[in-house]
Amino acid sequence: RGKRAFIAGIADDNGYGWAIAKSLAAAGAEILVGTWVPALNIFETSLRRGKFDESRVLPDGSLMEITKVYPLDAVYDCPEDVPEDVMSNKRYAGSSKWTVKEVAESVKEDFGTIDILVHSLANGPEVSKPLLETSRYGYLAAISASSYSYVSLLQHFIPIMNPGGASISLTYIASERIIPGYGGGMSSAKAALESDTKVLAFEAGRKHRVRVNTISAGPLRSRAAKAIGFIDMMIDYSSENAPLQKELSAEEVGNAAAFLASPLASAITGTVLYVDNGLNAMGVGV
Ligand code: NAD
């Protein structure tokens, strides 16, 4: 039987989540998607109207099928956590069962089990502020949406993950090196995500024989990255200074994720895999 993957954090065809879905689909996996509630309508409409058809094409010429799209807001674990104003917000009220616990329950009801869990989401309301000017609210919101969201997803999905399964998240080198402009506590959130990758690898490995890895990806012009405001500069910097002087394509990250999720990586867990044209290995730019 083919593997089944749940990918959290797809709302268009520009980000890493979409590329990972495509690489997994090309390798024969069934694709389930979790889409942020406020972005759900436009994503589903665009899908239905064929707006993504060109980017759905797989190497064999067929189109990637998304079996089901689930509304998801990964900052809420269960309905009791959702504040009144969010619950009654027009964009949220139109959907239901979008807390992490409920999405895992729905996937279980619909499909029973999954093999692959991908976390490709992040959010930091104050990302454009230096850390020194970041509020407690902004910092904690970045950690909640970008780091704890992963703990929560794995916590709720692991009971329905088949032994031998794999889980992957996306991180950024700003966790360990100074990247001016990646503010609002987002660098802190990625540091937490990478540290948690090790602890979760231990716990998920011992308890469920599930592997946990993270990909430290180079810069990509995604919707989220454009919102940060410095993405073109980071892409130029990488092309100039990395060992491999080419633009990084989302597909290269997708392929690395497909490898990590596959039996080819059966002894790899708890690692940060750099998919960044080697930029992380440089000490100075030349
Ligand atoms: P993206 O915009 O395609 O993906 C981010 C997704 O997160 C969006 O679909 C957004 O709707 C979703 N999201 C935000 N808050 C959410 C919430 N509370 N619940 C559910 N979904 C939520 O952008 P991307 O750059 O592909 O980001 C994917 C991952 O890759 C992120 O973890 C990001 O930090 C990481 N990453 C990106 C880059 C880059 O240069 N683009 C580099 C390294 C790592």
Side-chain angles (χ1 to χ4, degrees):
R1 163 182 97 65
K3 302 223 163 129
R4 187 177 296 120
F6 181 86
I7 301 148
I10 300 182
D12 59 41
D13 58 350
N14 293 317
Y16 281 133
W18 178 270
I20 292 170
K22 276 183 75 176
S23 294
L24 291 173
E30 177 176 20
I31 305 300
L32 311 178
V33 165
T35 298
W36 196 27
V37 187
L40 180 74
N41 228 324
I42 177 142
F43 179 62
E44 287 200 302
T45 308
S46 305
L47 253 185
R48 208 173 335 108
R49 296 201 179 143
K51 212 189 137 213
F52 301 136
D53 283 358
E54 246 175 75
S55 29
R56 279 172 62 209
V57 179
L58 299 175
D60 71 355
S62 67
L63 295 190
M64 167 172 72
E65 289 299 334
I66 296 177
T67 306
K68 189 160 179 180
V69 178
Y70 294 88
L72 167 70
D73 194 321
V75 304
Y76 304 114
D77 302 313
C78 56
E80 299 78 64
D81 290 352
V82 183
E84 191 46 50
D85 60 317
V86 174
M87 204 56 112
S88 58
N89 180 300
K90 211 174 81 214
R91 290 192 295 179
Y92 281 81
S95 301
S96 60
K97 296 190 182 170
W98 38 258
T99 66
V100 177
K101 180 168 181 269
E102 292 169 291
V103 175
E105 284 167 359
S106 300
V107 172
K108 182 181 180 181
E109 235 176 78
D110 295 341
F111 299 98
T113 61
I114 63 166
D115 304 285
I116 299 163
L117 175 68
V118 178
H119 176 281
S120 182
L121 63 97
N123 202 6
E126 297 180 15
V127 65
S128 51
K129 281 191 194 165
L131 187 55
L132 203 46
E133 291 164 27
T134 296
S135 72
R136 184 182 300 270
Y137 162 80
Y139 185 97
L140 294 177
I143 295 271
S144 172
S146 314
S147 316
Y148 187 77
S149 58
Y150 186 50
V151 176
S152 178
L153 271 171
L154 201 52
Q155 190 178 108
H156 289 96
F157 274 85
I158 218 162
I160 64 163
M161 285 184 78
N162 291 315
S167 175
I168 293 158
S169 68
L170 275 300
T171 187
Y172 185 48
I173 190 145
S175 60
E176 43 174 330
R177 299 275 185 267
I178 302 161
I179 309 283
Y182 198 74
M186 278 306 299
S187 57
S188 331
K190 291 306 191 189
L193 185 69
E194 290 175 28
S195 176
D196 294 347
T197 297
K198 297 192 174 79
V199 179
L200 294 170
F202 168 70
E203 295 177 2
R206 288 291 174 90
K207 217 169 158 190
H208 299 273
R209 227 157 39 76
V210 164
R211 297 180 293 107
V212 182
N213 293 291
T214 188
I215 291 175
S216 186
L220 173 77
R221 213 176 274 101
S222 65
R223 189 188 168 100
K226 280 192 276 191
I228 303 172
F230 69 171
I231 188 65
D232 290 310
M233 197 189 95
M234 297 319 286
I235 290 172
D236 290 345
Y237 182 87
S238 181
S239 307
E240 271 167 41
N241 297 295
L244 301 176
Q245 294 187 298
K246 62 178 177 61
E247 193 158 322
L248 180 72
S249 75
E251 189 187 354
E252 292 174 295
V253 169
N255 289 342
F259 159 70
L260 280 178
S262 80
L264 294 174
S266 56
I268 303 178
T269 193
T271 66
V272 179
L273 179 66
Y274 295 92
V275 184
D276 66 347
N277 286 322
L279 186 64
N280 72 91
M282 299 298 293
V284 289
V286 282

